[in-house]
Amino acid sequence: MALVPTTHVPRPDVDAIDLSDLDWWTRPLAEREAAFAALRAERPIARMELPALPLFGQQATHYWAVTRHADVVEASRHPQLFCSGRGTNIGDMPEPFLEFFGSMINMDDPRHARMRRIVSRGFTPRQLELLRADVEGVAAGIVDDIVERGECDFVTEVAARLPLRIIVDMMGIPRSQEEFIFDRTNVILGFTDEEYVQLDDPEDAAPMIMALLGAGQDLANMVQELGEARQADPGDDLVSALVTSDVDGERLTPAELASFFILLVVAGNETTRNAVAHGLWALTEHPDQKQRWLDDIDGMAPTAVEEIVRWSSPVIHFRRTVTTDGARLGDHEFEEGEKVVLWYGSANRDEAVFDDPQRFDVGRTVNEHVGFGGPGPHFCLGAHLARREISVIFRELLRRVPDIHAVGEPERLRSNFINGIKHMPVRFTPERS
């Protein structure tokens, strides 16, 4: 069923919108789009209540939901006023958790600049160009695995495989560990979804926290062991570069390597995974746009990829914390310590920025989306790689199985952080060998 434009859904009472309620995020997509349209129009910086989190020692508090594109961009450009170092999730986490699960995402300068300077060695244009053949080979291999069957679960067998396999190969991790990493990352980003963490009592958050910590520690242990091995016997991979290179006296400590790896396999995997999944769903719902892309597969790819990222907005939000009294966005003045949550999906539907934002348009040429974050020091380091991965997998699919389409509604992740699709059945005419 195609997305119903928000104009066809009654505009909700903005006082009744509760973005903190995970169950609100299971409502139909059209209802949620209508809610954000109402917030942008009537209350673009809206106060939301945040319940207490006793396990983390957090008292009940509030945050400000920022829903307009201009305000999201403005906050992103001024990290000295809206900082990341106090946490980027809506709720507070204990300080040791911040860097363990967020690495440099949860840092401010100068520590953020140092960390980004070190790890960016693996994401230079030269390094990404060297990856070009790897991405193409991995994409072809993934399609090879499904092409004769005529059907598959597009998420688990295609969309999730590409970025994870690229990361595993970049890091020099044996592909035999791929399933283990896939399982652990699902728990980290899906710990609020019962498919990944079973809850006997929905009111008891302890099992979710324990599952989250356990999955993170499993990944940390794996990469720390790998880092120790690469220090003794370096290879031609990213782990070796990060633990052995010494430029201006800088290299990653074992703890920094572990937290960066968790960030890479979680953020790097999920962004591309969900963009690709949402992209195929959008092409299924909009066959005219699919045909436009089929008519010019390579020529249409650059704009189509950007539109997929805008449309899907894989990361729904990140939080910032106000560093000083009097910081402003528009006419709103904040107090030091207040939480400001940037809703990227809403910004990417802002009527003031995008022409007919509820239209999926693979040829959209003016597309200043914030699907990789807003401008500033925290813009996604892997954006170029993600774009390449999305472009290559769709080129492979459109050329080899051009009639691929979803045959059932996507099964969505229960989350207000990741716009995730867990499963989506697809069919296509098999390619005969």
Side-chain angles (χ1 to χ4, degrees):
M1 181 178 68
L3 173 67
V4 178
T6 55
T7 52
H8 294 175
V9 177
R11 176 163 285 183
D13 176 3
V14 294
D15 291 323
I17 299 170
D18 183 4
L19 302 181
S20 305
D21 180 9
L22 280 174
D23 289 335
W24 185 87
W25 290 89
T26 65
R27 293 184 181 182
L29 183 59
E31 288 186 24
R32 287 182 276 140
E33 293 289 357
F36 276 111
L39 288 172
R40 288 192 299 271
E42 301 174 34
R43 199 172 299 170
I45 299 178
R47 179 177 169 128
M48 297 282 163
E49 301 306 314
L50 186 63
L53 296 174
L55 280 174
F56 285 164
Q58 176 180 288
Q59 303 298 314
T61 183
H62 71 275
Y63 62 91
W64 296 98
V66 176
T67 54
R68 284 182 181 169
H69 186 279
D71 293 329
V72 169
V73 168
E74 183 70 7
S76 302
R77 283 179 171 152
H78 294 94
Q80 73 279 11
L81 299 176
F82 303 95
C83 76
S84 302
R86 302 187 202 178
T88 51
N89 298 103
I90 296 180
D92 290 326
M93 298 181 75
E95 191 169 339
F97 285 22
L98 292 180
E99 292 179 22
F100 182 69
F101 284 106
S103 185
M104 61 185 177
I105 286 179
N106 291 331
M107 292 181 186
D108 298 313
D109 287 341
R111 295 183 65 234
H112 173 266
R114 171 192 169 271
M115 186 76 170
R116 190 172 176 112
R117 187 164 57 246
I118 297 172
V119 302
S120 63
R121 296 166 192 157
F123 296 90
T124 63
R126 177 179 175 276
Q127 290 297 111
L128 294 177
E129 184 61 29
L130 292 174
L131 274 173
R132 177 187 297 268
D134 293 339
V135 174
E136 292 174 351
V138 168
I142 288 170
V143 177
D144 285 342
D145 289 341
I146 66 162
V147 75
E148 295 182 1
R149 289 166 30 205
E151 61 183 7
C152 71
D153 181 335
F154 187 75
V155 176
T156 61
E157 297 182 73
V158 178
R161 292 295 158 193
L162 176 65
L164 182 57
R165 194 157 291 174
I166 293 298
I167 290 168
V168 164
D169 290 351
M170 281 177 61
M171 300 289 283
I173 298 170
R175 285 192 179 177
S176 59
Q177 297 276 39
E178 192 175 292
E179 287 296 331
F180 171 78
I181 298 171
F182 180 63
D183 175 72
R184 299 293 82 193
T185 55
N186 279 339
V187 171
I188 291 173
L189 284 175
F191 72 96
T192 56
D193 190 300
E194 289 199 16
E195 177 172 341
Y196 304 118
V197 178
Q198 300 296 316
L199 298 178
D200 295 327
D201 179 4
E203 300 300 318
D204 181 9
M208 293 191 296
I209 304 305
M210 295 306 295
L212 174 66
L213 290 175
Q217 193 60 57
D218 286 345
L219 292 176
N221 291 341
M222 183 191 72
V223 78
Q224 283 179 328
E225 291 176 6
L226 183 63
E228 292 171 2
R230 293 294 189 270
Q231 280 184 321
D233 183 18
D236 186 20
D237 55 66
L238 184 57
V239 171
S240 296
L242 294 176
V243 300
T244 62
S245 62
D246 193 347
V247 179
D248 299 327
E250 295 179 326
R251 69 177 71 182
L252 293 190
T253 67
E256 288 173 333
L257 175 65
S259 65
F260 173 65
F261 175 66
I262 292 172
L263 171 64
L264 187 62
V265 297
V266 171
N269 177 18
E270 287 294 320
T271 301
T272 303
R273 164 185 176 171
N274 288 304
V276 171
H278 280 280
L280 187 66
W281 175 242
L283 293 174
T284 299
E285 287 193 302
H286 302 86
D288 60 320
Q289 297 302 306
K290 183 180 181 183
Q291 189 59 54
R292 288 179 71 192
W293 199 350
L294 281 167
D295 290 342
D296 186 7
I297 293 176
D298 291 329
M300 192 64 71
T303 55
V305 168
E306 297 302 323
E307 181 69 344
I308 284 173
V309 176
R310 180 192 77 88
W311 188 257
S312 60
S313 299
V315 176
I316 299 172
H317 76 261
F318 270 131
R319 169 192 138 199
R320 301 291 184 255
T321 304
V322 180
T323 62
T324 183
D325 288 343
R328 303 180 67 89
L329 289 176
D331 295 330
H332 188 96
E333 186 171 298
F334 300 94
E335 297 178 2
E336 190 275 332
E338 288 190 303
K339 298 175 174 63
V340 174
V341 180
L342 312 180
W343 295 94
Y344 299 116
S346 176
N348 283 339
R349 296 291 199 278
D350 192 334
E351 302 82 356
V353 175
F354 301 98
D355 179 31
D356 194 3
Q358 296 296 339
R359 183 182 80 248
F360 179 69
D361 178 5
V362 296
R364 188 182 295 270
T365 54
V366 180
N367 197 347
E368 299 297 323
H369 67 78
V370 289
F372 292 116
H378 287 279
F379 183 80
C380 179
L381 182 63
H384 291 304
L385 178 58
R387 289 181 173 113
R388 181 67 185 160
E389 291 172 340
I390 298 165
S391 177
V392 168
I393 193 64
F394 275 106
R395 183 180 66 190
E396 196 73 15
L397 291 166
L398 293 173
R399 286 180 174 172
R400 298 178 63 183
V401 284
D403 63 346
I404 189 169
H405 62 283
V407 293
E409 287 275 344
E411 189 174 337
R412 300 178 185 273
L413 183 70
R414 181 177 180 264
S415 172
N416 67 354
F417 178 53
I418 293 294
N419 189 18
I421 295 179
K422 299 185 294 181
H423 304 285
M424 186 169 67
V426 299
R427 289 183 189 149
F428 47 89
T429 301
E431 181 183 86
R432 301 303 181 189
S433 57

